[in-house]
Amino acid sequence: MYILPYFLEKEAKNLLKIKLSKIISNITDDFIENLFIVNPDKKYQNIMMNLEEKIKESILEILKEAIKIFDNLFLKCDARKKQFNVCNTCHRSIFTIFGLLEFDRIYYYDKFDRTKHFYFIDTLFKLPQYDRYDCLIKGISIDNAISTNQNKGAELTNNMVNSLKSTINNTRKCNISRQDIYNWISNWNLPDIEYQPIESDSDTLYIMVDEKYIHEQIKAIVVKNNEKVETKNNCNIKMDIINFLNFLNNPSQFSLLLPAPKTKTKNFIMSKAFITFTGIEQNHKRRKLLNKTTFLTTSSNPWTEFMDFICKIYDFSKYKNIKVLSDAGTWIVNGISNLKLYPENEIMHCLCEFHVKQKINRITKDKNQARLLIEYINNNNKKDFVSLIQNIMKDKDEKRKRTIEGYKNYLIRYWKAFKNMLNSKVRSSMESHISHNVAKYFSYEPKAYSKRKIQKLIKLQEYKSNGINILGLYLKSYKNNEKVTLKKEELNFDIFNSSSSNVPMLYSE
């Protein structure tokens, strides 16, 4: 690392000050000129759009001048002349948050080792190599995409980078696509976050659990001549055309025109969501979950991963009661026992009210019968509950009887769990959480995801729900060559604080 001699540093500052004064003067003159133009209907819009465009252009001009000044000063520096020679001058363009930055910079090589060569400006400004977009644009795009979707995230970032005038006139230079954001997320080694332990006076820990199915990108499995043949989902039409042409060439192969056998494929990814909290705070009509933590995964061993995650945040030895609020899915019920880490932990399963009422409404459409069934459950009258369902099943066909019998068995099996929910101070709000954290981004629109990609997207949603700044996280970790673990307290982003020092003229590493 080399420092510019004081007189060169001073020269750079003076040159930049002169250029800045000229730029500010030009902006002021343009603003005053637009202010006195007679156009009362659109004056405000024109003034604001012209001012925004001029400011962005001026910032880019400042960057160009700074690059030019520092490159020329390094060219004249004696330390450079002793070790590096000029190779040539190359043009570069890169999109910044203010627009397209285009500039020329000098390419150098080492006198004593010609294999060593570099751009001084790229080294000084830490510009990404072989990239058309800077890290700020990438981070903002990913942040927008996580809050909405990749298509909308690209649109929001394009609107921010381009000036209002170019957006309205449809002359935008920056056109980020959803595929760009997809690639940026794929190339990002997303770090694991280690959260701070949560201290609470409550003796009860609540855990809401649910799942949501997400469409999976798959290849169809076609059984032909007792052999499995993989074809892409969109190849069925092409295969029909090929079969028809083969039939015309050889009419004896009539079997080619027969419909293909039905494929049996698993085309859903089951995402699992865990919401952990210690109580509820009532604020007027709204309620807030206290000490809430979200955990999302698509793993086939969700309880193992969840326990590894959650036991570092909550001290289970301090919680006498652990209440699980769920819809009693098989994978949930089978994993509840994992929560008992200490002998003093008492595990209680609470069945969500929504699913009980859902099953009752599917048993009967008669409002009086549905009301009676709910009353029987509330009064713990299991005998009359079963008797009423038997009466409802009369005169029904066999298929309908089997369906009602299944709903009845479900309610009887989890009768105690539902009574636990009715006696609990806290009721389940898991449906809204699964909607906001998963369904809103992955299920509302007809999209499909690969198993490899969905886990990263799910984890980003988890970080967002837990209060992690996605833009700051990207800026701090996008250079990582491998996956690392970051503590949440490390994400204070002090790296972005400015500090006063000499201008470092680094030309070798």
Side-chain angles (χ1 to χ4, degrees):
M1 179 178 291
Y2 285 82
I3 306 298
L4 268 180
Y6 175 73
F7 69 92
L8 290 180
E9 182 182 339
K10 187 176 181 180
E11 181 182 349
K13 290 180 179 179
N14 290 335
L15 290 172
L16 283 174
K17 285 179 181 179
I18 293 171
K19 190 63 182 179
L20 280 172
S21 63
K22 290 181 179 179
I23 291 173
I24 294 172
S25 178
N26 292 335
I27 293 175
T28 305
D29 292 341
D30 186 75
F31 173 73
I32 294 173
E33 183 180 346
N34 289 322
L35 187 62
F36 288 99
I37 292 177
V38 180
N39 190 359
D41 293 335
K42 298 181 180 179
K43 178 178 284 190
Y44 175 78
Q45 295 95 311
N46 289 335
I47 289 174
M48 297 304 291
M49 286 192 296
N50 287 331
L51 185 61
E52 184 237 11
E53 187 175 43
K54 287 296 180 183
I55 290 174
K56 285 189 173 182
E57 290 177 354
S58 300
I59 293 174
L60 293 174
E61 189 64 28
I62 292 170
L63 289 171
K64 291 179 186 177
E65 286 299 321
I67 288 171
K68 183 177 180 181
I69 289 171
F70 286 123
D71 214 5
N72 288 335
L73 288 176
F74 183 72
L75 182 65
K76 297 187 295 184
C77 184
D78 292 334
R80 192 280 307 168
K81 294 177 180 178
K82 291 179 181 179
Q83 187 169 358
F84 293 99
N85 279 342
V86 175
C87 182
N88 55 24
T89 301
C90 298
H91 181 78
R92 181 168 188 188
S93 61
I94 184 171
F95 278 105
T96 71
I97 57 176
F98 304 108
L100 181 62
L101 175 63
E102 295 185 275
F103 57 93
D104 294 320
R105 78 270 201 236
I106 302 173
Y107 194 40
Y108 299 96
Y109 67 89
D110 196 315
K111 289 182 178 181
F112 310 104
D113 186 357
R114 292 184 67 91
T115 61
K116 294 181 180 179
H117 42 266
F118 74 109
Y119 293 102
F120 169 71
I121 290 301
D122 289 5
T123 307
L124 176 65
F125 284 85
K126 301 296 183 182
L127 293 176
Q129 294 182 347
Y130 314 112
D131 216 331
R132 188 163 171 76
Y133 298 93
D134 70 8
C135 58
L136 289 170
I137 285 185
K138 292 182 180 180
I140 292 170
S141 299
I142 293 173
D143 193 14
N144 288 334
I146 297 305
S147 299
T148 54
N149 56 63
Q150 292 174 15
N151 192 41
K152 188 66 176 178
E155 181 183 340
L156 292 172
T157 309
N158 287 329
N159 291 338
M160 182 202 72
V161 174
N162 295 288
S163 65
L164 287 171
K165 187 180 289 186
S166 65
T167 301
I168 293 172
N169 296 332
N170 201 22
T171 58
R172 300 184 302 183
K173 292 184 179 180
C174 182
N175 287 295
I176 299 169
S177 67
R178 63 181 180 182
Q179 184 63 41
D180 289 327
I181 299 179
Y182 176 91
N183 293 336
W184 297 337
I185 294 176
S186 298
N187 296 330
W188 179 19
N189 282 313
L190 185 66
D192 292 323
I193 304 297
E194 186 177 317
Y195 297 92
Q196 293 176 312
I198 293 176
E199 298 292 335
S200 174
D201 296 331
S202 174
D203 65 346
T204 303
L205 185 66
Y206 298 93
I207 302 173
M208 296 188 296
V209 192
D210 202 358
E211 74 278 344
K212 187 68 179 178
Y213 287 92
I214 301 170
H215 283 279
E216 177 189 357
Q217 292 178 344
I218 59 169
K219 291 183 178 181
I221 306 298
V222 179
V223 179
K224 189 175 181 179
N225 298 329
N226 295 326
E227 294 183 1
K228 291 184 178 181
V229 180
E230 289 191 0
T231 62
K232 292 184 178 179
N233 292 342
N234 59 354
C235 285
N236 294 333
I237 296 176
K238 293 182 180 179
M239 291 299 297
D240 291 340
I241 294 173
I242 293 172
N243 289 339
F244 179 72
L245 294 175
N246 291 334
F247 169 73
L248 293 179
N249 294 329
N250 189 1
S252 62
Q253 296 182 357
F254 178 74
S255 60
L256 293 174
L257 296 182
L258 296 176
K262 293 184 179 180
T263 61
K264 294 182 179 181
T265 56
K266 181 181 179 182
N267 57 345
F268 287 99
I269 301 171
M270 188 170 75
S271 62
K272 298 93 175 176
F274 298 79
I275 309 295
T276 310
F277 58 101
T278 59
I280 290 181
E281 179 182 66
Q282 188 76 34
N283 187 6
H284 299 292
K285 292 184 179 181
R286 297 191 64 83
R287 294 183 298 173
K288 176 183 177 183
L289 302 185
L290 299 176
N291 302 317
K292 187 187 80 168
T293 304
T294 301
F295 178 78
L296 306 175
T297 185
T298 58
S299 169
S300 57
N301 297 310
W303 280 101
T304 302
E305 291 188 4
F306 172 68
M307 293 308 301
D308 290 341
F309 169 83
I310 208 67
C311 66
K312 299 175 184 177
I313 302 174
Y314 300 90
D315 187 356
F316 275 65
S317 64
K318 297 181 179 179
Y319 295 103
K320 180 181 178 182
N321 302 310
I322 300 177
K323 295 186 177 182
V324 180
L325 291 65
S326 77
D327 61 356
T330 303
W331 74 273
I332 298 174
V333 175
N334 292 340
I336 289 178
S337 59
N338 290 284
L339 294 169
K340 193 174 180 64
L341 299 181
Y342 296 91
E344 56 268 25
N345 295 148
E346 294 183 10
I347 313 299
M348 180 181 293
H349 182 210
C350 301
L351 180 62
C352 178
E353 291 178 275
F354 169 80
H355 292 278
V356 172
K357 293 179 180 179
Q358 182 189 64
K359 296 296 186 292
I360 289 176
N361 289 330
R362 289 177 179 177
I363 288 173
T364 177
K365 298 297 182 182
D366 188 288
K367 293 184 178 180
N368 290 327
Q369 291 177 340
R371 178 180 55 81
L372 283 173
L373 289 174
I374 293 175
E375 287 183 1
Y376 292 150
I377 296 176
N378 291 339
N379 297 327
N380 203 24
N381 190 345
K382 194 178 295 186
K383 181 179 179 181
D384 289 341
F385 175 84
V386 174
S387 177
L388 179 56
I389 290 182
Q390 294 298 330
N391 290 332
I392 294 172
M393 292 173 62
K394 289 181 180 179
D395 303 326
K396 297 288 191 299
D397 57 49
E398 291 300 320
K399 182 178 179 181
R400 179 61 181 161
K401 285 182 180 180
R402 287 195 299 270
T403 301
I404 296 176
E405 185 72 21
Y407 294 146
K408 184 198 75 173
N409 293 337
Y410 173 88
L411 295 171
I412 295 296
R413 186 184 308 118
Y414 299 111
W415 187 283
K416 183 179 178 181
F418 180 61
K419 296 297 292 182
N420 291 337
M421 178 67 82
L422 295 178
N423 297 328
S424 175
K425 296 179 181 179
V426 175
R427 303 296 175 88
S428 176
S429 58
M430 191 59 198
E431 293 300 323
S432 61
H433 280 86
I434 200 77
S435 175
H436 291 314
N437 292 324
V438 181
K440 179 180 178 181
Y441 304 99
F442 304 109
S443 300
Y444 283 177
E445 296 181 2
K447 295 180 180 178
Y449 300 84
S450 67
K451 286 185 177 180
R452 178 181 57 84
K453 187 65 180 295
I454 191 62
Q455 180 60 27
K456 183 178 287 188
L457 295 175
I458 283 283
K459 195 55 64 174
L460 283 170
Q461 290 297 336
E462 175 194 306
Y463 291 170
K464 179 173 172 286
S465 178
N466 289 330
I468 300 298
N469 186 313
I470 302 300
L471 170 58
L473 179 64
Y474 180 81
L475 295 178
K476 193 158 188 176
S477 61
Y478 75 95
K479 289 185 177 180
N480 292 346
N481 295 323
E482 57 184 18
K483 196 169 185 178
V484 298
T485 300
L486 294 176
K487 294 184 179 180
K488 187 176 181 180
E489 56 267 29
E490 294 175 352
L491 301 176
N492 53 15
F493 310 117
D494 287 340
I495 59 173
F496 308 121
N497 294 338
S498 59
S499 59
S500 58
S501 62
N502 284 346
V503 181
M505 305 306 285
L506 175 66
Y507 63 80
S508 64
E509 296 181 354

